[in-house]
Amino acid sequence: MVKSYRPYSPEQSYLLPPSPREWLPAGHLAYFILGLLGELDLGAIERAVQAKDPRGERPYSPQMMTSLLLYAYATGVYSSRRIARACVEDVAFRVLAAGEQPHFTTMNQFRAAHLEALSGLFVQVVKACQSEGLVRLGHVAIDGTKMKANASKHKAMSYERMQKDDVRLRAEIQEWFERAQAIDEEEDKAEGDGGTYDPQEEIRRREERLAKMARVREALKKEVAEARAARLREQAEELRKKAEDMTRTPSKRAEAATLAKKRDHQASLFDDDDDIDPPPPSADADLPRNVPPHRPDGTPKPEAQRNFTDPDSRIMLRDGAFIQAYNAQLAVDEEHQIIVAAAVSNQAPDAQYLEPMLRRMVQTCDAIPDRITADSGYFSAASVHFAEHIGTEPFISVGKHKNDGTQADELLLPQHRSAAKLEMRALLDTERGRQAYARRKATVEPVFGQIRAARRFAQFSFRGLVKNRCEWLLVCATHNVLKLWRALRDRPPALPAAA
């Protein structure tokens, strides 16, 4: 007996109009995102679109474009070309696009134009997770990772190297002019007028390189000068507070007032134009920012570096290798691994990130966690004091840990001793301290694995600190969307109320 097959007719037309709700299984992520969009506020994107000239081709729906980006980032698709291709080949993308097929340049332009508004969805998604009971703030772990920038470390150059290359290129340009003159004279003697040799391409290439280095060098000098001026103004403010402190002697207060005026004058020397007001502080002004090494007079030191492709990025160490990167920070709630705060900056050490991350967490969740954990890179007496001041209990490592979870004996050395470190070490040596700190790895580090390995987000797509901060918030928002979707999908249905 011949075995029969299931019916297969690839040319068969639909007998009834198909419904997109039947293309994917019930509870699919694409359907969840469509439902979630009804709860999110896309007003910032809508206003930006409506502010444009109404003439011309009608734009795609902001809801459609946002749903495509949310689903793409949630499933590890970050290229605008791959998103556009998926709108043709992938069923889930076709459901979200409702049959539309936006060009990849349209996807890229929408993401770039509304990146800040898209990053604002992070807070809204956290609020949605809170309303569903996924955020408890019993324990929050803070950690960072060095995320590769969209630039090569080989495009970074030190200030000293720039100066040397400047001299070398000028000499080569002069040499090419002299060589061209000599060849012209030889060709004129041999062939008369009308020689064919033209060195202008070599000269042009070197002149362009020279001009580019000059722009980068000036930008580096301006950056360190602004940083030096900001530091002088901070010192002046601290001195003014001392001058107003009535507990100090009159001579000490007068000396502080004099020094404050001196610091203000020194800072004013770095200003290009006193009539131009400084830009208003950004929302991320409290984050630490790396400043290239510079001298007291505000000029770069020879080892100060700047990347030609992404000047805001820095060379950082990750897994034993140096990469051009940013420091991406996360604060993760233990209950469902919901990211409750996120930030990006170009300062490689983590020590100065704890306070701004706690501020973001409190601002986003309108609540204070019971306890926080962080590794030894975050420890400082000031960070511990701030955490205790806002009402959370910090468990921050003060050194390396052994395989059994106990702390190494580094603090036995005199150079590692301080009152704050000894007090924190004593807390972590208790049973309660060991149990609290042991949850750090199981809370925040899996989230980095889910983002970098499972969703393949290994490098920023944009260049510049502000744009990459926005993209990191979008990545974290889609992480939370996935957690929210899985939690609601696996939640048992509520029992009907008794009559």
Side-chain angles (χ1 to χ4, degrees):
M1 182 177 179
V2 180
K3 184 181 287 292
S4 62
Y5 298 103
R6 298 186 183 188
Y8 173 65
S9 302
E11 304 297 330
Q12 173 66 49
S13 301
Y14 283 104
L15 300 179
L16 295 174
S19 169
R21 286 289 176 178
E22 300 173 357
W23 291 5
L24 296 168
H28 193 275
L29 176 61
Y31 296 144
F32 177 78
I33 288 178
L34 285 175
L36 182 64
L37 276 177
E39 303 176 13
L40 299 179
D41 181 13
L42 303 182
I45 300 177
E46 291 276 4
R47 288 189 293 271
V49 172
Q50 293 298 327
K52 294 182 178 180
D53 192 330
R55 295 171 296 182
E57 189 175 359
R58 290 183 299 173
Y60 289 108
S61 166
Q63 286 81 3
M64 183 200 82
M65 301 294 282
T66 303
S67 68
L68 288 174
L69 285 173
L70 288 178
Y71 185 81
Y73 270 73
T75 55
V77 180
Y78 309 104
S79 164
S80 57
R81 283 179 169 84
R82 290 182 61 196
I83 296 173
R85 188 184 310 123
C87 290
V88 178
E89 301 173 353
D90 189 287
V91 174
F93 278 91
R94 294 188 65 178
V95 168
L96 292 169
E100 298 285 356
Q101 297 176 2
H103 196 261
F104 77 88
T105 56
T106 304
M107 292 299 311
N108 192 42
Q109 289 167 2
F110 181 87
R111 177 172 53 177
H114 305 292
L115 190 59
E116 185 175 355
L118 291 168
S119 69
L121 298 178
F122 171 76
V123 175
Q124 297 187 50
V125 175
V126 173
K127 296 290 186 184
C129 293
Q130 276 187 292
S131 66
E132 294 294 340
L134 303 186
V135 178
R136 300 293 177 84
L137 295 182
H139 164 229
V140 173
I142 299 174
D143 203 359
T145 186
K146 307 304 185 291
M147 189 64 67
K148 191 177 183 306
N150 189 6
S152 169
K153 67 179 179 180
H154 301 294
K155 291 296 183 179
M157 185 178 288
S158 68
Y159 188 68
E160 181 181 31
R161 172 77 181 279
M162 290 182 202
Q163 291 177 313
K164 291 181 178 178
D165 274 19
D166 185 278
V167 175
R168 178 182 62 82
L169 287 170
R170 291 182 186 278
E172 287 183 1
I173 290 173
Q174 182 61 32
E175 181 182 346
W176 274 101
F177 276 122
E178 294 174 356
R179 184 185 303 178
Q181 181 66 27
I183 292 175
D184 283 344
E185 292 177 356
E186 291 178 4
E187 289 180 347
D188 288 345
K189 291 179 181 179
E191 305 174 11
D193 294 337
T196 59
Y197 180 73
D198 186 5
Q200 292 303 316
E201 180 61 27
E202 293 289 342
I203 295 173
R204 183 191 61 78
R205 186 168 60 86
R206 284 164 173 78
E207 287 179 339
E208 287 180 355
R209 178 69 173 172
L210 196 64
K212 187 173 183 180
M213 278 201 311
R215 291 193 298 270
V216 172
R217 193 166 61 248
E218 289 303 314
L220 180 59
K221 290 165 66 175
K222 182 179 180 181
E223 181 180 5
V224 298
E226 289 175 350
R228 179 59 180 164
R231 179 57 186 151
L232 288 170
R233 292 190 181 95
E234 289 176 3
Q235 293 175 353
E237 187 62 30
E238 294 171 1
L239 288 166
R240 274 191 288 271
K241 290 179 180 178
K242 292 181 179 179
E244 297 170 359
D245 186 359
M246 302 306 294
T247 62
R248 299 168 64 88
T249 62
S251 61
K252 291 289 186 182
R253 287 190 283 116
E255 180 183 4
T258 302
L259 288 174
K261 292 180 180 178
K262 182 178 179 180
R263 295 291 185 272
D264 282 332
H265 174 69
Q266 291 173 336
S268 67
L269 297 178
F270 293 102
D271 295 335
D272 293 333
D273 190 343
D274 293 337
D275 296 331
I276 299 178
D277 294 330
S282 67
D284 294 312
D286 60 334
L287 288 172
R289 185 163 182 175
N290 176 269
V291 178
H294 55 278
R295 300 185 179 92
D297 63 355
T299 58
K301 289 186 176 180
E303 64 270 21
Q305 288 193 347
R306 193 171 181 88
N307 191 281
F308 282 61
T309 307
D310 186 353
D312 289 338
S313 62
R314 297 290 184 267
I315 292 180
M316 300 182 185
L317 182 65
R318 188 184 77 186
D319 300 332
F322 289 99
I323 60 172
Q324 198 74 31
Y326 288 94
N327 191 342
Q329 296 282 317
L330 291 181
V332 181
D333 181 74
E334 180 184 354
E335 188 71 19
H336 289 273
Q337 292 182 343
I338 300 296
I339 300 173
V340 293
V344 171
S345 193
N346 58 7
Q347 177 82 296
D350 293 326
Q352 297 178 336
Y353 285 96
L354 189 70
E355 181 175 337
M357 289 298 290
L358 286 175
R359 292 185 187 277
R360 281 160 176 72
M361 187 193 319
V362 174
Q363 183 179 5
T364 301
C365 301
D366 294 325
I368 299 171
D370 296 335
R371 60 190 179 278
I372 62 166
T373 58
D375 62 30
S376 58
Y378 291 87
F379 184 85
S380 71
S383 297
V384 172
H385 175 74
F386 178 80
E388 293 173 341
H389 175 71
I390 66 172
T392 186
E393 186 176 16
F395 294 86
I396 307 175
S397 175
V398 293
K400 296 180 179 179
H401 283 69
K402 300 178 182 177
N403 292 334
D404 60 1
T406 60
Q407 297 184 96
D409 297 330
E410 289 181 345
L411 288 183
L412 298 179
L413 301 174
Q415 63 267 30
H416 293 300
R417 295 176 186 172
S418 69
K421 279 191 172 183
L422 292 174
E423 185 178 350
M424 182 58 68
R425 181 185 176 91
L427 174 62
L428 294 177
D429 279 338
T430 64
E431 182 64 24
R432 188 172 70 90
R434 284 196 296 270
Q435 290 180 358
Y437 188 77
R439 298 303 304 162
R440 185 195 71 84
K441 282 188 176 181
T443 301
V444 65
E445 294 194 7
V447 175
F448 284 119
Q450 292 159 18
I451 291 175
R452 290 175 53 181
R455 292 168 56 200
R456 301 181 297 279
F457 188 81
Q459 171 181 316
F460 285 115
S461 307
F462 295 88
R463 291 168 182 160
L465 187 53
V466 174
K467 291 181 179 179
N468 286 328
R469 281 174 180 166
C470 292
E471 185 175 34
W472 183 239
L473 287 173
L474 179 58
V475 169
C476 295
T478 50
H479 168 88
N480 289 344
V481 167
L482 286 169
K483 294 292 183 181
L484 180 60
W485 167 60
R486 293 188 180 113
L488 296 181
R489 180 193 62 185
D490 300 337
R491 180 177 294 177
L495 296 176

